[in-house]
Amino acid sequence: MAVTRRLLGLGIGLMIVLGRIGWGESSDQSLLFYAETGNEHRVVASQGADQSFNPASVIKVATSLLALETLGPDSRYETNFVCLGQCSIENGLLQGDLVIIGDADPDFHAENAWLVARELALLGINGITGDLVIEGVFFQGWEHGVEKRQTHALRRARLMGGRFQQALDVTRWDRSLHATWDEAATRHGWAPDAKPAISLGETVQMGHGGNAALHPVVRHRSNPLALTLKRFDTFSNNDIIRVADPIGGPTAIERLLEEIAGDLPGEIKVTTASGERVNRLTARQVVKLLWAFEATCREMELDPSDILPVPGCDPGSLPRMFPRLAQGENARTAIVKSGTLTNTDGGVAVLAGFFRSLKGETVAFCVAAPRSGRRLTHFRLAEQDWLLDLMDSVGGAERRICGTGLAYSDTMADARVTRQSVADK
């Protein structure tokens, strides 16, 4: 460790002893890394900086950047709930089909469905006589990324519609939904026994078929995009692909990365917006991405920690993977995004992000362990030690003040009865 600190202190490149795998193993399994200051772009650590590797979930930084630049941090997804048919309310029953017009809200859950249910209850609706119909793209709950999502449109509509039906009818709840309700009711100040009991029938269809008039009922708006991205990045949630798909997906992300990298050497390849499967960047390219991300955040009056997690402040897997970054004197010193693959490309562990030195310099860094296989704990701890040595070499790192805590999917979401709704019929 002392050798590492002396080399860093002299400002020369790191050939870190802890970056080596072990006796008798090939040097191509060394850590790859690159770090530089933001003020003068002074290189403070570099080894294999232009060697391509699979960045795994660090790709989510690029996905978040694309979303911020395309949609804006305050943009919201709007899901409209409308009626098709006679649409009068008789004895608590809405006469017709309930149509969900989805806007691909990537972070709609039972808690959001309950916001809608409370508005339906205000209209005196406790059931519908027709079907539940899905228009556009509607999600409820998680699918867990590219590998597990349902690609058949009708099956996906029935899956998501079924979850919505279940959330609105307490008689269909399982233990998990009861627990989620208790937590949400406490946060919102709802009466614990005011659980929704709205029957939506059994049939879920796609498309309302024809040009029949649709009567507005309730509109739901999501959290602002910045909060949604923070939730995805904190939990490294692979369903961030839902954010990327409507704005160009992997192709747009790869194009953005090429623009940012300019003439830097190394392969750039993006096959998924989540970091699943095979993607390619170099450590130097990742750092260039981080600076572009930081600049966009600054222009939008955001801090990178408004989008990316801070160990010691935010939940998720980072405290478990990098315990010394989340506890003790090193807690709250770094804004990071990790990446992990166990099998693809022989496995990889990646850590990238920012910290601010006690001298006031922001340092961006990326460290990766290609072909790490199933020795993830070993390599994560090596990366953690590498980062702590890097902090020591520049005189230490500032500790950040934690924010208000990670948002829930409904923290700033809202649902409202739509003007000229069925209530006016």
Side-chain angles (χ1 to χ4, degrees), residues 108-127:
F108 189 102
H109 300 275
E111 299 94 322
N112 304 86
W114 293 331
L115 295 177
V116 175
R118 291 176 66 83
E119 296 301 305
L120 293 175
L122 289 176
L123 294 172
I125 297 172
N126 58 36

Side-chain angles (χ1 to χ4, degrees), residues 192-203:
D193 59 352
K195 299 173 181 177
I198 301 174
S199 174
L200 299 183
E202 297 295 334
T203 305

Side-chain angles (χ1 to χ4, degrees), residues 171-184:
T171 66
R172 299 185 179 193
W173 289 6
D174 55 19
R175 183 178 300 178
S176 175
L177 277 177
H178 279 284
T180 302
W181 167 267
D182 291 342
E183 185 277 328

Side-chain angles (χ1 to χ4, degrees), residues 135-151:
E135 285 274 6
V137 179
F138 174 69
F139 302 109
Q140 181 168 320
W142 300 129
E143 296 176 286
H144 308 294
V146 170
E147 301 295 344
K148 296 182 180 180
R149 66 176 171 177
Q150 175 58 257
T151 57

Side-chain angles (χ1 to χ4, degrees), residues 359-375:
K359 299 176 183 178
E361 289 184 309
T362 298
V363 178
F365 65 88
C366 175
V367 55
R371 294 171 294 282
S372 56
R374 296 185 178 275
R375 300 181 65 197

